[in-house]
Amino acid sequence: MDNKAIKITSTQEETYTLISIELDGVIEPSDLKSLTGLPDIVSESRAHLGIVLSGRAPIWLYGYLIHHYHPCAWVAVYDPRLGAVIVQSHDKKYTAGDIIPVSI
Amino acid sequence: MDNKAIKITSTQEETYTLISIELDGVIEPSDLKSLTGLPDIVSESRAHLGIVLSGRAPIWLYGYLIHHYHPCAWVAVYDPRLGAVIVQSHDKKYTAGDIIPVSI
């Protein structure tokens, strides 16, 4: 990962890839332009699985990542109080608003 | 708008539609399943314009709306400190990370 301010790491679970966001200091929207090294789920043939996004970050960074991973089977946002909330799904098993228990 | 807890209103500006989110009490992810009456930008032929999302809401609600409006020319998230931050764009004029001044 070359991005100084935004650290993105991934962990492969059985049915989803967990994408963890860590911020080093204050980030700016222009940091999105130099955001490289995002886990390349699509070319790694993991797009038939889901994505769970986790970590403290501005809504615009989440927005960017949610769009980036839209080819995946489903995308969820981890809320510590609730679990992983599905926000989009191409998978018949899930609909937006479903909550998936994840261990983070 | 029939949703008790989630109020979504829209204002048409010259180059974008402003989507304002207002929450009435605590909302739950399952409220997404009964979210009706979203401004139908696509069938109203406003998809060649952008979308600015604004208001205090959980990231998962933003995630749902960002995905919902992805056919639009671009989608931005309003941050009171910064302006509207582009998170996705099919429009050559903008790239993710650009900031558009908006009056809210």
Side-chain angles (χ1 to χ4, degrees):
Chain A
M1 229 57 30
D2 293 312
N3 321 291
K4 269 174 266 172
I6 305 175
K7 259 185 71 180
I8 309 269
T9 51
S10 72
T11 313
Q12 190 57 51
E13 303 287 346
E14 202 183 330
T15 58
Y16 62 88
T17 305
L18 172 66
I19 304 279
S20 304
I21 311 164
E22 259 185 284
L23 303 184
D24 185 17
V26 175
I27 64 166
E28 297 298 331
S30 58
D31 292 330
L32 291 181
K33 297 174 197 278
S34 55
L35 188 57
T36 54
L38 285 183
D40 190 353
I41 308 292
V42 176
S43 74
E44 290 167 11
S45 307
R46 289 189 275 165
H48 64 292
L49 301 175
I51 286 284
V52 176
L53 299 170
S54 171
R56 286 177 70 88
I59 292 175
W60 48 262
L61 176 54
Y62 266 91
Y64 177 80
L65 293 172
I66 286 164
H67 179 65
H68 182 82
Y69 286 115
H70 78 84
C72 294
W74 47 266
V75 176
V77 169
Y78 179 68
D79 181 317
R81 294 176 308 111
L82 299 168
V85 179
I86 303 274
V87 300
Q88 64 183 71
S89 174
H90 308 301
D91 184 328
K92 274 183 243 162
K93 282 202 300 286
Y94 300 119
T95 317
D98 285 346
I99 296 176
I100 301 180
V102 292
S103 48
I104 290 187
Chain B
M1 228 56 36
D2 292 313
N3 320 292
K4 269 174 263 169
I6 304 175
K7 260 185 70 180
I8 309 269
T9 51
S10 72
T11 313
Q12 191 56 51
E13 302 288 344
E14 202 181 331
T15 58
Y16 63 88
T17 306
L18 173 66
I19 304 279
S20 303
I21 310 163
E22 258 184 285
L23 303 184
D24 185 15
V26 175
I27 64 166
E28 298 299 331
S30 59
D31 292 331
L32 292 181
K33 297 173 197 279
S34 55
L35 188 57
T36 54
L38 285 183
D40 189 354
I41 308 294
V42 176
S43 74
E44 288 167 11
S45 306
R46 288 188 274 164
H48 64 291
L49 302 175
I51 287 284
V52 176
L53 298 170
S54 171
R56 286 177 71 90
I59 291 176
W60 49 262
L61 176 53
Y62 266 92
Y64 178 81
L65 293 172
I66 286 165
H67 178 67
H68 182 83
Y69 287 115
H70 79 84
C72 295
W74 49 266
V75 176
V77 169
Y78 180 69
D79 180 319
R81 295 176 308 114
L82 298 167
V85 178
I86 303 274
V87 300
Q88 64 183 70
S89 174
H90 308 300
D91 184 327
K92 276 183 245 163
K93 282 203 299 288
Y94 299 119
T95 316
D98 286 345
I99 297 175
I100 302 180
V102 293
S103 48
I104 290 186

